[in-house]
Amino acid sequence: MIIAAAQFTPVPRDIDANAAQMAALITEAAERGAGLVVFPELALSRYDLEAIAADPEGMTVTPEDARLAPVREACRESGVAAVVNAPGRGAGWGHLPCREGYGGGSRPHISSFVYGPDGALLTRYDKRHLSGAENDIFAPGTAHGRFTLGGIRFALATCFDNHFPEVPERAAADGCRVYLASSFHGNAEWLTRYADLAREHGLHIVLANGTGTGTGLDSPGPVCGRSGAWLPTGERVAVAGDGSELVPGGGSELVLTDVRDRITLMADPAVAAVPVRECDEPLVDVWTAAPGLLVSGLRDDEQGAFSHLREGVLRRLLAAQESLPDGLRLQLVEGYRPLALQRRYFEEYADELRATHPDWDAARIHEAASRYVSPPGIAPHSAGSAVDVTLVTADGDPVDMGTPINASPEESDRACYTGAPDLPPAARAHRRVLNAALTKAGLVNYPTEWWHWSYGDRYWALATGAEHALYGPKELDPQEA
């Protein structure tokens, strides 16, 4: 997955204008192949403590605020997630005893609203460690910010949070691989500490830092920009300018970094650890159950197993097809795969890797093979919960998706990865359409294969935070065939 850190100088006291700028940056990031955009601290309102204290009703928002509609719509249209930092109203807003200056409500938070590729709220994080005059206006949060997207587990932190070593330490202990920091640092010297945080905790760090000048009772003054990214080795791999050329509402900069190698693979023990509570939903044949869904003959088999799916998966595919733009439709290439066939595919690919990499040990072969073929014990295809699917025209003609379906990482130079960079514009646009439709319908993608989507399996449960999987491996009943 490619992540973008966004820099712009917000318009003072104009949430509508700043939301429109964020929406434009989300769209631009999508056009450049990003799957997630991170914005600086209080970017929605500007870091303006005086304005927020003077008008808490007008300068604070909820995740559903109408003024954030352009951001949510940009996420839906582009299939990109966004971390939006804003003055956020607390749960008790308007219902708690009045605090002086707050018009009958609780204190706001410095909040990160995480919107998914479908525009829905994935999670909310409220800054835990407040600094200086922030303590006079905001309430500290209590939750640890976590979410999973594209098979990657993310941690959230806001500016002063990063001064506390236990914050990244806890993120690493919780299995997070990427650490997203929305900040408003004025001292460029402090930015060097992110390299230490990345190296000490094995995290890929992405920083979105503010530009312009903040105001408050003890105003932090000008901030230094220079948003960027650090590898877990501590190496800085992306950096923006200092923002000196950006004027309010009149300039912006995106820096992008690729975290594909931090993907949770099917072979990860965390996937196998997810419990399964089989719901006994039947497998149905798409040919007869959904004649409006186009089925490819590429994977046809004597039993016709490939065209079967669990009922819940098929319902969601049909919903996804309904949301596609005019002129495009889904084509199912493969659904259910018998366990014996899954085992054969995995072993054959593992044999290819052994021949190519005779120095790799068994564990490395197993992990590398799982980028392309799921280990048989947890394979979602063998549960009837996974589908290999592509886009075609209304007439059934193929469109450019960047690689053929089932292209391996080796033969495609990893262009088969869903968030691969440097794709042709048409392929990137088509993947974005496919991602948005299937994500909105409730399916999750396996990020090393743009075509592989699932619902109800262990990988889906891990990616969405569900307590258990709904479907386990299943044999095809002759009556279902």
Side-chain angles (χ1 to χ4, degrees), residues 39-42 157-160 162 181-185 194 207-210:
F39 290 96
E41 183 177 23
L42 294 178
T158 305
C159 205
F160 197 48
N162 300 299
S182 296
S183 299
F184 200 77
H185 295 302
Y194 283 103
L207 165 70
N209 195 37

Side-chain angles (χ1 to χ4, degrees), residues 251-326:
S252 62
E253 185 172 2
L254 290 171
V255 290
L256 282 72
T257 185
D258 190 347
V259 296
R260 285 180 298 169
D261 290 334
R262 307 300 289 172
I263 288 170
T264 299
L265 296 174
M266 287 287 184
D268 194 300
V271 180
V274 174
V276 178
R277 295 183 189 173
E278 175 59 59
C279 67
D280 293 322
E281 195 174 272
L283 289 163
V284 295
D285 192 343
V286 176
W287 287 109
T288 55
L293 188 62
L294 190 64
V295 180
S296 166
L298 183 65
R299 289 289 189 180
D300 201 359
D301 60 278
E302 185 176 343
Q303 193 180 11
F306 83 103
S307 63
H308 287 68
L309 291 170
R310 298 283 190 142
E311 284 181 332
V313 180
L314 180 55
R315 284 197 304 271
R316 285 164 175 80
L317 279 184
L318 293 173
Q321 179 153 274
E322 286 295 317
S323 70
L324 289 174
D326 291 342

